[in-house]
Amino acid sequence: MDDINLHYRFLNWRRRIREIREVRAVRYRDRWRNMFREGDILRYHGDSDEVGCFVAARPLSKKRRYFEVTVNDTGVRGMIAVGLVPQSHNLEHQPGWLPHSVAFHADDGKLYNGSTVGQQFGAKCCRGDKIGCGISFDSDDGQITVFFTKNGEEIGNVEIPASPDDLYPAVGMHSLGEEVVLDLNAEWRVEDDDGQMIVDSHEEDWSRLHDVKVTGTDPFQEPVQFSGAISEKTR
């Protein structure tokens, strides 16, 4: 009897291991619908009545807290969305439309935060624009700060009740001809360890050049001295 029990235990153990592997395989696999993917390029592949959606295999984390897409083509309507969704997000809906998802939409410059009704957030995006999305870990009470960027400048941010483990990079499309280049390894500079993320504008270097005094001597004239100020770098 003990041998029989041991045999069934072994079979159950093998089955359990197989189930765990299957779950992990699904969890760490990119998912997409109504899209054509070629390397880092995502292209809409539907009839414009259907939403195209891509969800990355892994969520954002402290080591990888930012991603970015470059708009190659806005297509017919430019309905490109960039944001974060849960791993189980329904691919038939744009990021930001469903609960627990948030996204910036390029066609109208609105932020969609778990609703099909958006709020004005930034400017519309065109071909060549880069749209980024990241998270900050400096929030309290179970809130995560999600921020969005356009061409290296932050558009704005919003706090959502979520865990970083539940926020997966997502891209949505909804019209013919739309195409983007996805960069899941894009970097957004982190200042110290407080979670604050900034773009390096080299302002410190420019400040050293402020109020510069230059002296020089002409061999045919009396020594002369020039003083002036170099204006700060325009952004």
Side-chain angles (χ1 to χ4, degrees):
M1 182 64 68
D2 292 339
D3 291 340
I4 294 176
N5 289 335
L6 183 61
H7 174 70
Y8 279 111
R9 283 186 177 182
F10 177 73
L11 291 178
N12 289 334
W13 177 76
R14 289 186 60 184
R15 183 177 61 191
R16 180 57 179 162
I17 292 297
R18 184 169 61 252
E19 291 174 350
I20 292 175
R21 287 177 176 174
E22 290 175 352
V23 169
R24 287 180 176 176
V26 172
R27 182 180 181 185
Y28 298 118
R29 181 185 303 163
D30 294 335
R31 299 188 302 126
W32 64 88
R33 177 187 176 91
N34 295 324
M35 282 189 183
F36 174 78
R37 183 180 185 186
E38 183 179 2
D40 294 331
I41 295 178
L42 298 175
R43 185 180 302 116
Y44 182 76
H45 190 66
D47 60 6
S48 292
D49 290 329
E50 303 172 307
V51 168
C53 187
F54 168 90
V55 178
R58 296 178 182 275
L60 294 185
S61 64
K62 287 188 175 181
K63 292 184 178 180
R64 193 190 68 174
R65 57 179 73 185
Y66 178 78
F67 77 102
E68 200 169 64
V69 303
T70 301
V71 180
N72 272 0
D73 199 325
T74 56
V76 177
R77 292 180 289 177
M79 300 180 69
I80 298 171
V82 179
L84 301 170
V85 301
Q87 197 275 336
S88 59
H89 180 79
N90 187 335
L91 298 180
E92 295 180 354
H93 298 273
Q94 283 269 30
W97 284 0
L98 297 180
H100 312 296
S101 70
V102 60
F104 173 72
H105 287 219
D107 62 315
D108 55 14
K110 291 184 178 181
L111 179 74
Y112 290 79
N113 187 4
S115 172
T116 55
V117 178
Q119 61 185 56
Q120 202 58 49
F121 195 67
K124 299 179 181 180
C125 298
C126 304
R127 183 176 183 178
D129 285 337
K130 290 188 176 182
I131 308 170
C133 177
I135 57 176
S136 172
F137 288 85
D138 57 355
S139 300
D140 299 322
D141 302 327
Q143 298 282 324
I144 292 292
T145 299
V146 179
F147 68 94
F148 294 89
T149 68
K150 179 182 177 182
N151 299 329
E153 298 291 337
E154 184 172 334
I155 301 172
N157 60 73
V158 61
E159 287 194 354
I160 62 173
S163 166
D165 296 335
D166 297 330
L167 299 175
Y168 289 73
V171 178
M173 299 181 188
H174 205 172
S175 74
L176 295 175
E178 294 172 356
E179 180 181 294
V180 303
V181 178
L182 175 67
D183 186 359
L184 292 174
N185 297 310
E187 295 184 358
W188 186 262
R189 180 182 168 187
V190 181
E191 187 179 63
D192 299 325
D193 295 324
D194 61 357
Q196 182 180 5
M197 304 180 185
I198 62 173
V199 174
D200 187 1
S201 60
H202 303 287
E203 291 181 357
E204 181 179 351
D205 295 336
W206 279 97
S207 66
R208 294 172 183 171
L209 298 177
H210 193 70
D211 294 329
V212 173
K213 180 177 290 185
V214 182
T215 62
T217 303
D218 188 323
F220 300 102
Q221 298 180 4
E222 294 293 326
V224 295
Q225 177 171 301
F226 303 91
S227 62
I230 295 179
S231 63
E232 293 185 356
K233 175 183 177 184
T234 58
R235 300 183 65 180

